[in-house]
Amino acid sequence: MPKLIVRTIDLSKVYRRGKVNVPALNNVNLQVSSSEIVGIMGPSGSGKTTLLNIIGGLDKPTRGKIFVDGVDITSLNEKDLADYRLKKVGFVFQFYNLIPILTALENVEIPLALMGAPKDERRERALNLLRMVGLENRADHKPDELSGGEQQRVAIARALANNPSIVLADEPTGDLDSKSAMAFMRIVRDLNRRNNQTFIIVTHDPLVVEQCTKIYTIRDGRVESA
Amino acid sequence: MFSWSLAVRNLKRRRLRTALTASGIVVGISMMFILLSLVSGMETQARSMARALGGADITVSNSTSFRDRMGGGGFFGALPSPSTLDASIAETISGIPGVYAVSPQFSFSGSINGRRVTVYGVEPASYEIVTGGLNIVEGRFLSENSDGEIVMGKAMMDFLNLTLGQTVNLSAGQEEEGRIFTVVGVFETGMIFQEYAGYVTLADAQNITGEHGLVTQILVKCEDPSTVSDVVSLISSTVPDVRVTTPTATIQQASQMLNTLTMFFATIGLVALFAGSFGVINTMIMSVTERTREIGVLKAIGAKNHNIMKIFLAESLLIGLIGGGVGVAVGSILAYVFPMLTSGLFAAGASPFGMRNPFSSAVNAGLGGRATSTIMFATPAITPLNITICFSLGALVGILAGLYPAWRASRMKPVEALRHA
C-alpha cells in the first residue's frame, strides 16, 4: 500500500505586484502517494510553478499547510528548509541549471558535498548516478560540451544524489527534442520503478503526460483532477 | 566543500577582471611594503648609529642649523652646510669644569672630482682623543702635518674608482676652483652612506671655504660620562646661542622622527589599500549579480546561507591573497632597486625625495663628526615580519571587501534568484 507523501491543505499563495494582489494558488488540496509519477498541467500563469516551488520548500504559501513525509514544511525556518531541500527533494529545471564551470561529475557531487560526504565516497556515488543515466563516459565534460538531453540527464543525476523521497521537475523536457525527451522519461520511469521515487512533473509535453501515473490540471490557481 | 575550486575556477574564468581587481590591492600592498621596509631600514640604521655613537659625549653647534653657502637651489640642489661658530668658543668650552677634551670641526658640503660629498675638517690629534678616531682600513689617518691630504670613505673610493695614494680635486662647490689632495687613508664604518665622506685638516677646510676662524661643530669629551648632563647645562649657560646635543637626545629625536614617518607612510599605504578595496567590492558585487541564477540553483539543491557566503568569501580572499602576494613581490623588487636608484643621487648630495632628511641631520649632530649628511632613506630592509604583515593585510582587505557582496549573495531568496535571467 503506497503511503501518502505530499498532502496540501487549503494551500493559497498571493503575490503582491505593487498595490495589486495577484492570486497564484487558491485553496489547493492535493495528495500524492509515494512511487507515483504525477503530472501537473495547465496554461502558463496558472500557478503550476508556484505549487512546485512551495512543495520544494523554495517558496512559502500565504495560507494553508503542506505536509511532506508527515512534516509540516510551512513551519520550517530558512535553515531547516535548506536542509529539507538537501535531503528530501531533488530539483530538475527546464534549462538544466548546471554550474557551468564544474564538470558533469562535479555537478552531481554538489549535493553530496553539501551533505558533508567524504571526497572518495561522493565521487563514487556521483559516478554511479552518471552510469545510471548513461553518461559515465561524459563525466569529465563541462555542461557546454554536452547536448541538452545530456545536460538534463546530468541534472536528474544531481537531483537524485542524496536519494530524495520526491523529485520535482519544472518543464524538464521543455527544451529537449522528442528523442531526448523520451530518453529522459525512460530514466524517470526506471527510477520510479526501481527506487520507488516519487516524481512531480510540471509539463505541457504529451510525451511526459503519457508516462505519468496521475495528472492534475491547474486552472486559475485551482487544482482539478484530470 | 566546493568553495575553493569554485572560487579558483571563477577567478580563472575572468582572468583580466581578476588581474585588474587584484592590481588595485597590489598597488596598495607594494606601497605599504616598500614604506614599511624603508622604516625598518631606518630602524636598523638608527640602531647601528646608536652603537656608533659614544665617540663624542657632547656636540656643540650653531643654534640655527644650516646656512646655504652652496646656493643649492633646484630639485636636486646641494645639501646645505651647517651654520658656523667662532672657533674661539672651543677654548671657552675647554675651560668648563668636567670637560676632558674638545675638538673643533668644520664640515661642509664640498665636491670631490665633481661629486658632491660631505667634507669634515678636523684637528687630527684632538679628534682622535674625543671620538676615538675613524676605523682606518687602508693607509693612515691625518696628522698635524697633513696639509693637502685626505682620508676618504671606502664607498666613496669605490664609487670614484680611486686607490690609495691617488690625488683628487676637492673644492667647496662644483663651480669653484679646487685644490689637489692626496688620498692617504681609507675608512670604513659599515654603513655605506657614512662612507660618502672625506676628512681633511681643519685648516685645509677653512682655507677651501674661506671661512677662517670658524667651525661648524665642537665635539666634547667629558672627564666622567655620568656628568654629561651637568656639562651640557654648563655649556648652555656659559656659551650663548648654541645647540648642545648628546647621543641620548639624538636617539630620542630620531625615534620620534621614525614614529612620525611610520604613521605618515602607514596612512599613505592604507589610503591606497582602501581605494583598492573598492575595486574588490565592485568586482564581487558584479560577480554576485552575474551568478544570481547559480546562487538560486545552489540554494534549491540545499545550499545554506553560509555555504553561499563561503563561496564568495573564498573568491574575494583569493583576490586579496593574489594582491598581497604580488604586492609583496613588487614591493621587494622596488625595495631592492631603490638603493641602486638612489645611490647615484646621494653621491651627488641630494636625497631621492629632493629634500633633506631631518632625521639624518639629527643623528648627524650627535655623531661627533663620524656621520655624513647623506640621507637614510637609501637602504630599505626586507624583513619576514613586513612580508607577513603585508601578505596578511592583502588577505584581510580581500575578506573585508568580500563581506558585503557575500552577505548579499547569501541572503538571496531562492525563488527570486532562480527567476533571474
Side-chain angles (χ1 to χ4, degrees):
Chain A
M1 178 68 193
K3 66 169 183 170
L4 209 58
I5 191 140
V6 178
R7 185 160 64 103
T8 70
I9 301 169
D10 295 336
L11 207 61
S12 294
K13 176 77 183 178
V14 180
Y15 288 111
R16 277 190 75 86
R17 294 254 160 79
K19 285 182 179 171
V20 188
N21 286 337
V22 183
L25 293 176
N26 195 355
N27 289 320
V28 170
N29 291 289
L30 184 86
Q31 297 191 346
V32 178
S33 303
S34 68
S35 68
E36 274 185 315
I37 302 177
V38 174
I40 297 179
M41 299 177 71
S44 62
S46 59
K48 306 182 300 285
T49 299
T50 304
L51 179 62
L52 204 69
N53 285 342
I54 291 175
I55 296 173
L58 287 174
D59 208 350
K60 290 209 163 203
T62 315
R63 250 177 308 112
K65 286 196 179 306
I66 168 164
F67 291 89
V68 177
D69 242 354
V71 178
D72 176 11
I73 64 163
T74 50
S75 67
L76 299 180
N77 62 25
E78 205 181 333
K79 189 164 168 278
D80 290 337
L81 267 180
D83 228 34
Y84 162 77
R85 293 194 293 264
L86 180 61
K87 292 169 186 166
K88 291 272 180 191
V89 252
F91 275 98
V92 177
F93 305 92
Q94 179 178 357
F95 298 107
Y96 335 123
N97 281 343
L98 300 176
I99 306 295
I101 49 170
L102 299 180
T103 63
L105 185 70
E106 288 166 335
N107 265 288
V108 180
E109 279 184 67
I110 300 173
L112 297 160
L114 288 169
M115 283 285 270
K119 199 175 169 121
D120 291 348
E121 206 177 284
R122 66 183 195 224
R123 192 127 286 209
E124 199 190 318
R125 168 132 180 92
L127 262 176
N128 276 334
L129 287 161
L130 284 180
R131 199 168 296 133
M132 206 161 72
V133 298
L135 285 177
E136 69 267 40
N137 54 347
R138 310 288 273 162
D140 293 327
H141 288 258
K142 298 237 171 94
D144 60 6
E145 298 159 354
L146 300 172
S147 72
E150 286 171 330
Q151 288 189 59
Q152 200 57 303
R153 275 143 70 192
V154 175
I156 196 165
R158 180 178 70 183
L160 293 168
N162 285 331
N163 206 14
S165 346
I166 332 163
V167 176
L168 304 171
D170 193 353
E171 311 250 15
T173 59
D175 207 43
L176 300 183
D177 58 65
S178 57
K179 202 172 148 217
S180 300
M182 270 197 294
F184 176 82
M185 280 316 288
R186 211 173 302 126
I187 290 165
V188 167
R189 227 182 32 219
D190 278 358
L191 289 166
N192 169 259
R193 257 186 232 144
R194 220 183 317 154
N195 307 346
N196 267 340
Q197 236 130 8
T198 309
F199 285 81
I200 301 178
I201 306 173
V202 164
T203 189
H204 287 115
D205 189 346
L207 272 173
V208 176
V209 175
E210 248 169 46
Q211 307 289 337
C212 291
T213 56
K214 199 178 214 171
I215 302 288
Y216 288 102
T217 306
I218 298 194
R219 213 175 291 277
D220 298 329
R222 289 178 178 278
V223 170
E224 303 159 1
S225 209
Chain B
M1 235 282 279
F2 274 93
S3 317
W4 289 105
S5 60
L6 273 176
V8 169
R9 287 188 215 181
N10 270 312
L11 292 177
K12 270 193 190 163
R13 183 163 59 160
R14 304 219 181 270
R15 277 167 216 271
L16 182 64
R17 186 160 87 184
T18 305
L20 288 174
T21 309
S23 66
I25 297 195
V26 169
V27 171
I29 291 290
S30 55
M31 201 154 172
M32 200 80 173
F33 185 77
I34 186 145
L35 296 177
L36 282 177
S37 302
L38 284 168
V39 172
S40 296
M42 285 185 237
E43 261 165 16
T44 314
Q45 287 177 345
R47 242 176 281 132
S48 26
M49 277 207 169
R51 271 199 301 275
L53 292 171
D57 294 326
I58 299 167
T59 302
V60 180
S61 53
N62 192 314
S63 52
T64 54
S65 293
F66 307 109
R67 78 216 131 108
D68 201 8
R69 67 176 303 282
M70 299 297 292
F75 192 68
F76 288 119
L79 290 173
S81 298
S83 295
T84 51
L85 297 167
D86 199 282
S88 64
I89 293 174
E91 272 167 54
T92 317
I93 292 173
S94 66
I96 288 172
V99 171
Y100 175 71
V102 294
S103 180
Q105 143 178 316
F106 190 98
S107 65
F108 64 98
S109 183
S111 170
I112 291 180
N113 289 359
R115 287 285 171 180
R116 197 61 52 83
V117 64
T118 305
V119 181
Y120 296 96
V122 297
E123 283 181 2
S126 67
Y127 183 80
E128 294 211 282
I129 292 169
V130 171
T131 68
L134 291 172
N135 175 30
I136 300 291
V137 290
E138 248 186 294
R140 59 173 171 80
F141 191 54
L142 306 168
S143 65
E144 296 308 320
N145 319 309
S146 280
D147 281 1
E149 292 180 353
I150 186 167
V151 173
M152 281 172 52
K154 178 101 174 48
M156 190 70 190
M157 293 288 283
D158 292 343
F159 185 74
L160 292 174
N161 248 332
L162 292 170
T163 52
L164 193 69
Q166 278 188 299
T167 56
V168 293
N169 186 307
L170 171 62
S171 65
Q174 276 164 322
E175 292 83 30
E176 290 169 49
E177 210 176 307
R179 259 184 63 191
I180 299 300
F181 280 76
T182 311
V183 182
V184 295
V186 179
F187 72 91
E188 232 177 57
T189 65
M191 276 177 285
I192 285 178
F193 67 91
Q194 287 184 341
E195 294 176 9
Y196 279 84
Y199 284 77
V200 296
T201 63
L202 181 60
D204 276 344
Q206 289 168 335
N207 285 334
I208 287 172
T209 56
E211 312 252 18
H212 300 282
L214 296 174
V215 296
T216 53
Q217 290 99 17
I218 295 160
L219 313 176
V220 180
K221 190 170 178 68
C222 297
E223 282 168 358
D224 180 353
S226 64
T227 61
V228 168
S229 57
D230 299 333
V231 177
V232 166
S233 17
L234 274 173
I235 295 174
S236 302
S237 58
T238 316
V239 193
D241 300 329
V242 291
R243 193 159 62 125
V244 186
T245 49
T246 62
T248 341
T250 306
I251 289 166
Q252 264 171 7
Q253 237 177 315
S255 69
Q256 242 170 25
M257 185 71 70
L258 265 181
N259 284 341
T260 317
L261 281 175
T262 312
M263 293 291 288
F264 177 67
F265 288 161
T267 311
I268 296 177
L270 282 177
V271 167
L273 261 184
F274 191 65
S277 71
F278 278 99
V280 180
I281 296 175
N282 188 33
T283 296
M284 290 310 299
I285 288 180
M286 223 180 338
S287 174
V288 167
T289 311
E290 283 169 359
R291 282 150 66 196
T292 300
R293 201 180 168 81
E294 199 174 304
I295 294 165
V297 173
L298 285 170
K299 285 200 149 186
I301 61 180
K304 299 191 177 62
N305 289 2
H306 69 87
N307 296 130
I308 304 292
M309 188 116 182
K310 242 170 87 179
I311 291 171
F312 287 95
L313 274 184
E315 210 169 303
S316 66
L317 172 62
L318 275 180
I319 294 177
L321 288 174
I322 294 170
V326 177
V328 166
V330 170
S332 303
I333 294 169
L334 288 178
Y336 179 74
V337 173
F338 199 81
M340 298 185 200
L341 292 178
T342 55
S343 64
L345 291 176
F346 76 65
S351 89
F353 297 149
M355 62 184 185
R356 191 183 170 78
N357 174 12
F359 174 55
S360 69
S361 63
V363 173
N364 210 4
L367 262 175
R370 221 180 287 172
T372 77
S373 44
T374 10
I375 36 75
M376 301 193 64
F377 282 120
T379 42
I382 296 166
T383 67
L385 179 70
N386 288 344
I387 292 176
T388 315
I389 288 176
C390 288
F391 195 61
S392 326
L393 211 61
L396 187 71
V397 168
I399 288 268
L400 289 180
L403 272 178
Y404 170 68
W407 177 81
R408 225 168 79 152
S410 76
R411 303 287 305 196
M412 279 181 183
K413 296 252 176 290
V415 186
E416 285 160 28
L418 277 170
R419 235 179 263 141
H420 198 271

